């Protein structure tokens, strides 16, 4: 099977997100016992385990793919988490790529050492369309562990909103074939302005390859 076409406007690896001058919005999905208190209080409750790795996703549609439009068990509450851009960029600056890439990493052992030290990790997965089919360009997933996870929950989070009703509304329009209406409801995810060098360690370009700018 041939690979899906790459969107002509999007480099293969690019961060696209809903963002302001000071914040960026990422998505997660939880069971109601965690998600509802988080949305109500605007912060993660003590039951949210700060010692576990947590994955945040700037792409609304990738989150819909992961949680089945908020219908998968344990992922019934979809949260939009607005976090500080300086925290987001700290995590990216201290991240390692989640998988080994020959020709990009020095060797597998060096990559494993880097991954073990890093408080964050980056994974690039195919972006999704309204039917949740894979596209040719990639969407960022950012895994936070240890210090990064704690800072995300207790320092970087500015606001938490329950966007489950929005997910269900868009899904209903998609099922009815009303794609234009569904598309107009999607969050406005624009290319994120990446500072020079921020993604050098996590965009898997092999020796001799070139890529479009990530911002």
């Amino acid at each position: 099977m041939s690979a899906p076409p790459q969107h002509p406007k999007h480099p293969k690896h690019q961060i696209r997100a809903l963002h302001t001058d000071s914040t960026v919005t990422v998505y997660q999905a939880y069971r109601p016992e965690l998600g509802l208190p988080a949305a109500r209080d605007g912060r993660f409750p003590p039951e949210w385990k700060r010692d576990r790795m947590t994955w945040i996703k700037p792409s609304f549609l990738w989150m819909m793919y992961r949680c089945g439009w908020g219908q998968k068990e344990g992922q019934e509450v979809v949260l939009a988490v607005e976090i500080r851009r300086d925290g987001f960029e700290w995590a990216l600056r201290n991240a390692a790529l989640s998988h080994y890439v020959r020709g990009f990493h020095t060797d597998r052992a060096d990559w494993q050492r880097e991954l073990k030290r890093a408080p964050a990790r980056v994974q690039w997965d195919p972006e999704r369309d309204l039917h949740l089919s894979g596209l040719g360009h990639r969407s960022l997933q950012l895994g936070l562990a240890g210090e990064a996870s704690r800072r995300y929950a207790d320092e970087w989070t500015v606001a938490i909103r329950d966007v489950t009703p929005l997910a269900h509304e868009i899904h209903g329009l998609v099922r009815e074939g009303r794609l234009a209406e569904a598309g107009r409801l999607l969050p406005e995810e624009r290319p994120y302005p990446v500072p020079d060098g921020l993604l050098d360690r996590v965009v898997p370009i092999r020796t001799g390859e070139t890529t479009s700018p990530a911002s």
Side-chain angles (χ1 to χ4, degrees):
M1 181 181 296
S2 60
Q6 182 173 328
H7 193 290
K9 293 183 180 180
H10 297 317
K12 184 174 182 181
H13 300 93
Q14 181 189 54
I15 300 174
R16 295 169 300 279
L18 178 65
H19 59 83
T20 70
D21 289 343
S22 59
T23 66
V24 57
T25 296
V26 296
Y27 299 94
Q28 296 191 291
Y30 291 101
R31 65 184 191 275
E33 302 86 84
L34 277 180
L36 293 177
R40 181 193 65 217
D41 300 333
R43 63 187 302 274
F44 289 103
E47 294 78 15
W48 193 89
K49 296 187 182 300
R50 287 151 172 79
D51 56 346
R52 287 186 179 179
M53 175 163 285
T54 189
W55 289 88
I56 59 177
K57 307 156 185 68
S59 168
F60 180 84
L61 284 176
W62 207 97
M63 185 71 256
M64 296 306 100
Y65 167 74
R66 180 68 179 84
C67 72
W69 299 100
Q71 295 179 351
K72 288 185 179 179
E73 184 178 359
Q75 300 186 63
E76 298 92 344
V77 178
V78 183
L79 301 178
V81 185
E82 192 176 3
I83 65 174
R84 289 167 26 193
R85 278 175 52 166
D86 60 347
F88 181 65
E89 292 176 14
W90 181 92
L92 289 169
R93 190 171 291 111
N94 289 279
L97 198 59
S98 64
H99 63 284
Y100 170 71
V101 178
R102 184 186 300 274
F104 177 68
H105 297 104
T106 303
D107 54 42
R108 187 175 293 275
D110 181 68
W111 164 72
Q112 289 174 333
R113 286 191 294 270
E114 182 180 342
L115 190 66
K116 186 175 181 179
R117 292 193 303 265
R121 59 188 60 180
V122 162
Q123 185 167 307
W124 298 95
D125 293 296
E127 184 59 281
R128 301 286 155 171
D129 63 16
L130 280 165
H131 293 293
L132 306 186
S133 299
L135 298 173
H137 55 285
R138 300 284 169 154
S139 177
L140 173 79
Q141 281 200 80
L142 182 58
L144 308 175
E147 180 184 1
S149 180
R150 293 189 295 272
R151 294 179 70 174
Y152 166 68
D154 299 324
E155 298 178 22
W156 303 340
T157 296
V158 173
I160 302 177
R161 293 180 293 112
D162 182 354
V163 292
T164 313
L166 175 64
H168 291 170
E169 183 178 3
I170 294 174
H171 186 208
L173 291 171
V174 172
R175 286 186 298 178
E176 294 172 8
R178 298 157 64 184
L179 298 185
E181 293 174 67
R184 285 193 289 270
L185 293 178
L186 290 173
E188 185 185 356
E189 293 171 3
R190 297 173 289 116
Y192 185 85
V194 175
D196 289 344
L198 183 66
L199 300 181
D200 285 355
R201 296 170 59 226
V202 293
V203 173
I205 304 303
R206 297 174 177 83
T207 304
E209 289 185 339
T210 59
T211 186
S212 303
S215 60

